[in-house]
Amino acid sequence: MTSNMSDTPANPASNGELEEQALHFHKFPRPGKLEVTATKPLGNQRDLALAYSPGVAAPCLAIRDNPETAADYTARANLVAVISNGTAVLGLGNIGPLASKPVMEGKAVLFKKFAGIDVFDIEIDAPKVEEMVSTIAALEPTFGGINLEDIKAPECFEVERQLRAKMNIPVFHDDQHGTAIIVAAGILNGLELAGKNIADVKIVASGAGAAALACLNLLVSLGARKENIWVHDIEGLVYEGRTELMDEWKAVYAQKSDNRVLADNIAGADVFLGLSAAGVLKPELLAQMAEKPLIMALANPTPEIMPELARAARPDAMICTGRSDFPNQVNNVLCFPYIFRGALDCGATTINEEMKMAAVKAIAALAREEVSDVVARAYSGETPIFGPNYLIPSPFDPRLILRIAPAVAKVAEETGVATRPIQDYDAYLDQLNRFVWRSGFVMKPIFATAKAAEKKRVIFAEGENERVLRAVQIMLDEQIAVPTLIGRPSVIESRLKRFGIRLRPNVDFSVVNPEDDPRYREYVDDYSALVGRAGINPDAARTLVRTNNTIIGALSVKRGEADALICGLEGRYDSHLRHIRQIIGMRPGACTLSGLSLLISQRGAMFFTDTFVNYSPSATEIAEITILAAQEVQRFGIKPKAALICHSNFGSRDSESARKMREALALVREKAPDLEIDGEMQGGAALSEVVRKRAMPDSTLTGEANLLIFPNLDAASISLGIVRNMTDALHVGPILVGAALPAHILGQSVTSRGVVNMTAIAVAEASQPTLPAILA
């Protein structure tokens, strides 16, 4: 994994704190970051007979007779080896293969998270080139591809060259080529904005390791001229006749020059490529660069020049770094999962230069592409525009896999290295689309909005609860919101100490002490004015405002002292709901509140409503619940596809609930004609287009529904519980829909991560209070 894979936070914890957190993260709840899971049921004797002896003999013999069928009968076509000898691990140097294992496991989970690729991480005690080559080459029957990682230069060049000659599967050294692909995409876009031609520009490089040389080689493939490239390393300029620290790969860029240092060669440079060390590029040197220079300062965690210094010296500069807290992050995760995805899916025997260039062009084009409303919400709620601060797409842009994998697969076929060419690219794109929403991308648009927005104030009713305290720590680390905790200060402090949480009261968060709040009388007056005619007399109001934290939190939001409320970890849902309904109320025009639940499973993202509030909503209420839920779904960057669920299938029964759902459908179509919806239908029809078309060939719903609307609370709650447990899905919610201001009631079993997820949703709602229009 290259140095530019670092994801440095804007306000990192101290090294000691970060190390402690990292050790805890890797050790609990079980050591390591990945596991092997079975993909076939092994629940009875027949399953065992098919999976192992005697049934397994059939696929073994089929593969013996036709080796290509291994892709049909085994996981090989989706299995990559991440291999290292530990000689150049991140910024740690030669720490050995065993110590490199956490990094290789990390790379493995990135492959799985971003592209659904299974990985075995393999750390080998093989410091010499010939040992590495013989060991790795012998693994070819097991894997569909090899990702070389953290091998020092120049040995890494020779290892890859020999393996590519020996092996008939893709061999890809990501430290070289992953970095090169992202750098090349950024440079192509920067040069386009500057109105420059790659063949004419002067490129000055600081650093001559594997990544730097791979970047330069790829730029040459794209049209840069070697005579315009000036390479520097720790010994200075790479020049003809130099003998110190030289090798055949570096010598390609040797210049005929008497100059020896970066300061002598940077005059007139159009591009600075830094893969070296912090502070190498001094601000005064920027004055010598050409108009509209492109600065790729990729050393991590501290770049060759900090962006603010570069911008002060050259306001016309375009700047890329390896850090996530600045625009234009060069991050290998932008490409390597998707290049392998395309290569594996077409059975490529190698990843050639043409495939790498296809990835470069796909990434560069994506940054220039007009962004839809759905994708904009996957960033920060504001549409990113191609320009100096947007040369490179976000690593979490869900379109990356949809652009890179097909482009790589097509070029593999065109260049004759695809053994299983993609037959139907429309179907392939649909398959990739389905994966996007099975992954962690589901919550990314929400967190991106929360992080990018002006920080919102979130008040937590159960401020003494351990899960809230842990969630607030994560929330601060991820810079999601400004927290306020309701609780007794002494109890909060003692629990922070007991649980080893580093939060500092009244520094990292504010505290509202219900036993001693200077606003108490004002809160009582406000509460009495709101509920005085709802059976709450003044004495009761005084007691409740002193003792009920949800009332205090709701009043705080109502008065504008907080932007959102999180409650419900203790006590009954109905009780919290009553206080929110009385104090915060409903948004204008809404006739009811409702609970929307999100399940994220291997099948994808599925929304259920109404799972918590309305026992038996009317057709009018169901129509409103559906429309508001669809608008909430769009906050996640997902196009809603709604199904009105019932025991009846398109009029097959004429019960009361069936008639109610039909009436609701008519109302939704009248109020939100662009929403993709149909019903009433059974659950199986909602999740299968084949089943649905049999019952209703002209159904207006396509594909698989992702928003399920139920006729009553029993059906919704039961379905949610069964599906959640049968699929081991992550539950996000319930999301309270229809309230005038953001307020959410969590379940008593919610985890601290669940609290964080709901906080991010509340912040996103507070940042974008106007619900999006239903997409066509």
Side-chain angles (χ1 to χ4, degrees), residues 384-539:
I385 300 172
F386 177 54
N389 289 325
Y390 185 62
L391 301 174
I392 301 171
S394 161
F396 298 110
D397 190 323
R399 298 171 297 171
L400 283 163
I401 193 172
L402 306 177
R403 301 292 187 274
I404 298 173
V408 167
K410 283 180 181 177
V411 171
E413 181 179 355
E414 292 167 0
T415 55
V417 300
T419 61
R420 300 188 306 277
I422 304 297
Q423 299 300 313
D424 183 341
Y425 274 93
D426 289 337
Y428 183 51
L429 279 170
D430 183 62
Q431 175 187 332
L432 294 175
N433 247 316
R434 287 172 61 86
F435 166 75
V436 166
W437 303 115
R438 282 201 303 270
S439 70
F441 281 115
V442 174
M443 287 300 297
K444 289 298 177 185
I446 300 298
F447 278 91
T449 298
K451 291 178 182 180
E454 179 182 349
K455 292 298 173 278
K456 299 298 181 181
R457 303 159 299 170
V458 179
I459 190 164
F460 295 85
E462 291 85 8
E464 300 173 1
N465 188 285
E466 177 188 357
R467 288 166 290 167
V468 169
L469 295 173
R470 294 192 182 281
V472 168
Q473 183 66 73
I474 296 169
M475 185 181 73
L476 287 172
D477 290 343
E478 298 189 9
Q479 299 183 332
I480 293 172
V482 178
T484 296
L485 274 57
I486 304 175
R488 294 161 292 177
S490 60
V491 174
I492 292 174
E493 289 191 42
S494 66
R495 290 183 179 177
L496 288 173
K497 188 174 183 179
R498 184 200 312 171
F499 301 133
I501 302 170
R502 63 183 189 277
L503 290 172
R504 298 165 297 172
N506 299 313
V507 176
D508 296 320
F509 61 90
S510 301
V511 179
V512 173
N513 182 0
E515 297 178 347
D516 184 20
D517 189 343
R519 301 164 299 181
Y520 171 70
R521 293 186 182 279
E522 297 175 22
Y523 273 37
V524 170
D525 291 342
D526 290 344
Y527 184 54
S528 295
L530 290 166
V531 300
R533 293 182 179 273
I536 306 294
N537 62 41
D539 287 340

Side-chain angles (χ1 to χ4, degrees), residues 373-384 445 448-450 452-453 635 767-768:
D373 290 342
V374 169
V375 173
R377 280 189 287 277
Y379 287 88
S380 63
E382 295 182 4
T383 303
T449 298
R635 289 192 193 276
S767 303
Q768 302 171 338

